[in-house]
Amino acid sequence: MADMIFYVLSDSVGETAELLGKAALSQFANQDIKIQRIPYVDDEATMVDAFNLANENNGIIAYTLVKPEFRQKMKDLSAQYNIKAIDLIGPLLEELEQHLQEKPTLQPGLVHKLDEDYYKRVEAIEFAVKYDDGRDAKGILKADLVLIGVSRTSKTPLSQFLAHKRLKVANVPIVPEVEPPEELFQVDPDKCIGLKISSEKLNHIRTERLKALGLNGSANYAKKERIQEEINYFNRVVDKIGCDTIDVSNKAVEETANVILRKLKK
């Protein structure tokens, strides 16, 4: 067979059609076939141009057009020009519609909106890692949300959970011996939340944590006097910032996250 061109038409950027075309063509190692993408097809004239090109270049056409009228026009032109045109998405949409008992939205480019959502989530996760545990105070003013709390109040897992909701979260540990960063008092108090916990619960968590590490459960880190000192200092910092607090003493990370998301919606 003479060299040919494989034209892929799409009502969006055409990446999906091209990747599928490449995957199929890779199975034919003895053929030298070039793929040419024709994106953003939204009128009949572009379709006609594609068939004229295919006619001139011994071409074949594949398309991912979600609108039924466009798919029908491609079928009509295929018959008119006697050129093979393969509908890559129509049959799948029809089968899914029957199986799901739901009409498709028929809106071009939705897959790329989903991709955008994915990248926003990844960006938020990377942000949470970079600005975890007060590692870099510059993140405080860049964040959508700042979490503060004493050690073992689930700041890190909560930051990661909220990052999966596409929120850029920085968290800052509050320790009596360490002055909080200046940025913490510059941030909008509505974007800052203190994670409050009872001294009894914190004593239990820290004691168990020390035991898990093979350390003495009676170390200063888990002593009630030390814990109360930290909580008192935390309360002073919260008062200075003027931010809301959430009691996490008996809440799972998911519960706390839901409370925060409701607050942010308000």
Side-chain angles (χ1 to χ4, degrees):
M1 180 185 285
D3 292 351
M4 60 168 279
I5 298 179
F6 187 62
Y7 295 93
V8 290
L9 278 66
S10 173
D11 43 24
S12 186
V13 294
E15 184 179 18
T16 302
E18 183 175 353
L19 286 172
L20 189 53
K22 283 180 177 178
L25 291 173
S26 68
Q27 301 299 315
F28 301 91
N30 296 324
Q31 303 296 328
D32 182 17
I33 302 173
K34 177 184 176 184
I35 295 180
Q36 183 172 326
R37 193 193 304 188
I38 302 176
Y40 303 112
V41 176
D42 60 0
D43 57 42
E44 184 178 329
T46 306
M47 299 180 204
V48 171
D49 287 344
F51 276 92
N52 284 327
L53 286 169
N55 191 43
E56 293 169 8
N57 297 293
N58 185 34
I60 188 171
I61 293 174
Y63 55 96
T64 53
L65 303 172
V66 296
K67 292 185 178 179
E69 61 270 27
F70 284 2
R71 298 203 303 271
Q72 184 57 52
K73 187 61 186 176
M74 292 294 290
K75 290 177 184 176
D76 296 342
L77 288 169
S78 176
Q80 179 183 332
Y81 282 82
N82 194 29
I83 291 174
K84 190 70 176 176
I86 307 159
D87 185 353
L88 298 178
I89 199 168
L92 180 57
L93 283 173
E94 290 165 7
E95 289 294 332
L96 287 171
E97 180 179 348
Q98 286 185 16
H99 184 76
L100 300 173
Q101 296 293 299
E102 180 182 339
K103 291 284 184 185
T105 61
L106 302 177
Q107 183 180 342
L110 285 181
V111 67
H112 296 286
K113 290 183 181 178
L114 291 174
D115 287 346
E116 184 181 347
D117 182 73
Y118 167 78
Y119 287 120
K120 282 183 178 177
R121 189 181 301 117
V122 170
E123 186 180 0
I125 292 169
E126 290 175 345
F127 186 96
V129 171
K130 183 175 182 179
Y131 298 111
D132 180 46
D133 207 33
R135 199 171 295 160
D136 185 346
K138 292 194 292 288
I140 293 171
L141 298 178
K142 298 176 185 177
D144 298 321
L145 177 70
V146 181
L147 300 176
I148 64 171
V150 300
S151 175
R152 311 311 297 175
T153 48
S154 300
K155 296 184 297 299
T156 295
L158 187 54
S159 296
Q160 287 291 328
F161 187 95
L162 291 168
H164 280 84
K165 304 295 183 182
R166 300 176 302 285
L167 283 173
K168 293 180 179 178
V169 185
N171 75 75
V172 181
I174 302 301
V175 186
E177 292 79 15
V178 179
E179 189 72 23
E182 293 178 13
E183 290 85 349
L184 200 55
F185 304 104
Q186 297 168 5
V187 73
D188 181 349
D190 289 336
K191 292 172 67 175
C192 183
I193 292 179
L195 304 178
K196 190 168 62 172
I197 190 169
S198 71
S199 58
E200 294 80 8
K201 182 69 175 181
L202 190 55
N203 170 256
H204 174 74
I205 292 171
R206 289 187 177 183
T207 300
E208 292 302 313
R209 175 63 176 166
L210 289 171
K211 288 178 182 177
L213 294 172
L215 301 173
N216 190 337
S218 63
N220 189 50
Y221 177 67
K223 284 184 177 177
K224 292 182 179 179
E225 296 80 8
R226 170 62 187 183
I227 286 173
Q228 193 58 56
E229 179 188 358
E230 289 186 34
I231 290 175
N232 291 341
Y233 183 67
F234 164 79
N235 289 333
R236 291 197 296 274
V237 172
V238 164
D239 288 343
K240 186 175 179 180
I241 297 170
C243 64
D244 286 343
T245 61
I246 296 174
D247 192 335
V248 300
S249 302
N250 297 300
K251 285 185 175 68
V253 168
E254 294 85 351
E255 291 178 273
T256 307
N258 287 332
V259 173
I260 290 172
L261 291 170
R262 285 197 296 269
K263 281 179 176 288
L264 292 177
K265 282 183 180 179
K266 289 179 182 178

